[in-house]
Amino acid sequence: MTPLAWALGALCALLATATAVLAACLYRAHQQAKALAATLAEVAVGNGNRRLLARPGDVLAPAVFAANGVVASYEQRLTELARHEAAGQRVMASLSHDVRTPLTSLIGYLDALERRFAGELGTDAGAYVATAVAKARDLKRYTDELFEYCRLEAGEFPLAVAEFDVAEEVRRILAGWVVRFEEAGVELVADIPDGPCCALADARALERIVSNVLGNALEHARARQVTVSLQRAGAGLVTIQVADDGVGIAPHDCAHIFERLYTADASRRSGSGLGLSIARELARAGGGDIMVASCVGKGTTFRIVLPHLPETPRG
């Protein structure tokens, strides 16, 4: 073999080795890139426990080490956020509880004062006492909503979903609202079937859902009439509709009406902005839902949907 042939052979061998090494490096880099993409995809959906391995000499080693650092920081921030959120929920629940007890006592004393001295107080003094009673009750309602929302957020509002006669339950709920509607000068109309209408729900949650929707209509709809109806909607559903003939809600507000602390009227100073949010959370937690349809100047309809068991054919 001539020196030239030997040199060419050695060069070819060297090139073949370099090509193999380069191919191996590129393959490893490709695999690491795929693993990096998969890891970041998992982190994006909440799995912050993933890490990648790389040797210091790898092509993608700097990117892998940087990605591991970002993921670790992300996981730490999520942990801190969860801890702060849990602490905030505990504080709010504790404050709500600590406020509710003395507030209930205060309302009791004010009611007793109003009854005890009815007719004896002057016009101004009587008006002051009546205003104090009304404001204390408003504060109690807002505190109750805040307490319930904190419990929902913390997963401490267990539901006992069972089949029962929703028609009878809705009648009972409406009976508790008759006086308030009469005092407000709003007609409350019930369109409830005479026979039983069974659905799957938590009775306590259903009362809160319907009450929150009724309270919203009474306080903000500026309606002359509110009609509550109940019917089977097919497809295994029972619906409760609360319709008013009030001022209605603008389309852009309807899209956000169930969001926490959202108020359709920015100038409005009454209401916590939690009632409808709580209603939706409870409805969905029980396997149902709540929707709204409205036309400005004509009124608003809230539709509460509950699942029901299919009827068993009688043999």
Side-chain angles (χ1 to χ4, degrees):
M1 178 181 295
T2 65
L4 179 58
W6 183 88
L8 288 175
L11 180 59
C12 289
L14 181 60
L15 288 175
T17 302
T19 301
V21 171
L22 180 59
C25 290
L26 290 176
Y27 176 78
R28 181 171 176 79
H30 176 68
Q31 293 300 106
Q32 286 182 334
K34 289 175 58 178
L36 180 59
T39 298
L40 293 178
E42 290 193 27
V43 171
V45 296
N47 183 7
N49 296 320
R50 290 293 308 274
R51 296 293 186 275
L52 285 171
L53 298 178
R55 293 192 292 262
D58 288 342
V59 175
L60 292 181
V64 169
F65 298 151
N68 284 339
V70 170
V71 171
S73 177
Y74 173 77
E75 183 181 13
Q76 182 180 1
R77 292 186 181 184
L78 282 181
T79 302
E80 291 177 356
L81 179 62
R83 184 170 63 250
H84 292 323
E85 185 175 353
Q89 289 173 350
R90 287 195 300 269
V91 169
M92 293 303 296
S94 177
L95 285 176
S96 298
H97 181 271
D98 292 342
V99 170
R100 291 169 84 200
T101 302
L103 190 55
T104 301
S105 299
L106 175 62
I107 292 174
Y109 285 125
L110 289 173
D111 283 337
L113 179 65
E114 191 176 32
R115 290 193 302 269
R116 172 68 177 79
F117 295 101
E120 299 181 19
L121 297 174
T123 304
D124 289 342
Y128 294 154
V129 172
T131 300
V133 171
K135 295 300 182 182
R137 286 174 177 168
D138 286 343
L139 181 58
K140 176 66 163 56
R141 185 169 65 255
Y142 303 154
T143 305
D144 287 344
E145 289 182 351
L146 177 61
F147 184 68
E148 287 183 356
Y149 192 84
C150 289
R151 291 183 63 195
L152 280 171
E153 287 288 288
E156 297 175 357
F157 198 108
L159 300 182
V161 177
E163 185 185 26
F164 64 92
D165 186 1
V166 176
E168 183 63 29
E169 180 66 15
V170 171
R171 290 191 196 95
R172 186 190 67 79
I173 296 170
L174 294 181
W177 281 86
V178 171
V179 174
R180 288 189 59 186
F181 272 79
E182 289 179 348
E183 291 176 347
V186 180
E187 183 181 6
L188 179 61
V189 179
D191 182 14
I192 310 297
D194 292 332
C197 186
C198 295
L200 294 171
D202 178 281
R204 184 180 51 144
L206 180 62
E207 179 176 8
R208 174 51 58 196
I209 294 168
V210 175
S211 294
N212 284 6
V213 175
L214 287 173
N216 181 80
L218 188 60
E219 292 180 18
H220 308 303
R222 299 200 287 275
R224 296 184 303 273
Q225 183 183 91
V226 174
T227 302
V228 180
S229 59
L230 187 149
Q231 60 186 357
R232 290 191 183 276
L237 301 175
V238 171
T239 63
I240 303 169
Q241 288 194 162
V242 180
D244 66 66
D245 60 356
V247 296
I249 305 170
H252 64 274
D253 288 319
C254 280
H256 304 283
I257 199 70
F258 295 108
E259 294 178 5
R260 177 178 56 182
L261 303 179
Y262 185 83
T263 54
D265 183 357
S267 65
R268 194 177 76 199
R269 291 293 179 264
S270 61
S272 65
L274 291 173
L276 293 179
S277 178
I278 291 172
R280 184 177 66 172
E281 291 292 330
L282 288 174
R284 290 182 173 179
D289 207 346
I290 179 171
M291 291 81 78
V292 64
S294 187
C295 181
V296 175
K298 294 185 178 180
T300 301
T301 298
F302 285 91
R303 186 167 176 260
I304 304 163
V305 181
L306 305 173
H308 75 81
L309 291 175
E311 296 182 358
T312 302
R314 296 179 180 179

